[in-house]
Amino acid sequence: MSLTLPTNYQNACKLGNIKENWIVRLYYGNEGANDYIGIALSDTTVENVFYHGAITNEPSIRTSVNVFESKASTSQISLNIINFTYQGSNFSEELLYGTRSYINRSVKIYSQLNGASAIADCLQIFEGRFVDISHNNDSITLSIVEQRPWDFIEIPNQRTVTSNNELGIPSYFPVAYGDFQANISYQDNEALCHANLSGQVTNL
């Protein structure tokens, strides 16, 4: 993801004795604006939301892209958390057995400088998906993978209702990439198409 520095964050970077804190939003349910629990490297409050300073490791974010070999590696972050008491129970019980669902929900990580009290003054440095959890009585480990545009998408993913082939199996619709003109074709009124020199798809 590209990073755009908020003005106050950029100004804070120019000061001496910078104090940085990472704050993490663990989203649940429908992932609405307030549907999250906050944890952090150290206790802090941002816009009246308290972030529990329960993260004990120093997580690292790494993503690499090799355009020459068409390869990319995606970050996976592990967060080690103290299994603190949350609303009368261990935090692990909230994540695993509570009434709210956290697995496969979004996780956002922000860099907070010098105790900034507004989320607009913090820099979002990561957005991922909570995919795994392990715990004991004292600690919790969360695995978070970077969210990708193709998550949960299968291609091709649309098929015809009926088929004219010998096996009687519905056929997949073709997948088009790039600049093209849509072609509408019906079983009883087929409209063939071809690619012209500009790469567009046109009807014959």
Side-chain angles (χ1 to χ4, degrees):
M1 60 179 290
S2 59
L3 300 179
T4 301
L5 298 181
T7 301
N8 289 342
Y9 187 95
Q10 189 173 7
N11 293 335
C13 291
K14 301 174 183 178
L15 303 175
N17 299 321
I18 297 174
K19 180 181 178 182
E20 184 183 27
N21 187 20
W22 279 19
I23 61 176
V24 179
R25 290 179 169 183
L26 301 174
Y27 284 83
Y28 56 79
N30 294 324
E31 301 182 22
N34 299 313
D35 293 342
Y36 65 86
I37 289 179
I39 57 176
L41 294 175
S42 59
D43 287 350
T44 189
T45 299
V46 179
E47 297 179 352
N48 298 320
V49 176
F50 180 71
Y51 291 77
H52 304 265
I55 302 174
T56 59
N57 66 324
E58 296 182 0
S60 60
I61 301 173
R62 295 175 181 168
T63 301
S64 64
V65 177
N66 187 326
V67 295
F68 299 104
E69 297 183 6
S70 299
K71 293 181 180 180
S73 61
T74 303
S75 294
Q76 177 167 328
I77 293 180
S78 292
L79 296 179
N80 298 331
I81 306 170
I82 297 171
N83 201 359
F84 62 94
T85 300
Y86 179 78
Q87 296 184 352
S89 302
N90 287 341
F91 189 49
S92 57
E93 292 188 29
E94 167 66 19
L95 297 178
L96 284 170
Y97 310 114
T99 58
R100 300 179 288 202
S101 176
Y102 295 86
I103 297 292
N104 280 327
R105 299 300 194 272
S106 293
V107 177
K108 294 182 180 180
I109 300 178
Y110 297 82
S111 170
Q112 176 199 42
L113 296 185
N114 301 333
S117 59
I119 196 65
D121 295 332
C122 300
L123 175 65
Q124 183 180 339
I125 56 177
F126 184 84
E127 182 169 358
R129 184 164 48 85
F130 177 14
V131 294
D132 195 19
I133 179 175
S134 62
H135 75 95
N136 55 36
N137 288 334
D138 300 318
S139 63
I140 306 169
T141 299
L142 306 183
S143 294
I144 303 162
V145 297
E146 187 176 25
Q147 278 191 329
R148 296 151 296 190
W150 56 86
D151 280 352
F152 305 115
I153 295 178
E154 296 181 3
I155 295 180
N157 58 5
Q158 295 189 43
R159 295 195 297 180
T160 58
V161 177
T162 59
S163 175
N164 289 328
N165 59 43
E166 295 179 358
L167 297 177
I169 300 174
S171 302
Y172 281 103
F173 283 102
V175 178
Y177 297 90
D179 187 15
F180 70 97
Q181 294 176 337
N183 176 62
I184 301 176
S185 179
Y186 299 94
Q187 183 173 349
D188 57 350
N189 185 21
E190 297 179 353
L192 302 179
C193 61
H194 77 287
N196 61 23
L197 295 179
S198 64
Q200 294 182 329
V201 177
T202 57
N203 291 334
L204 285 175

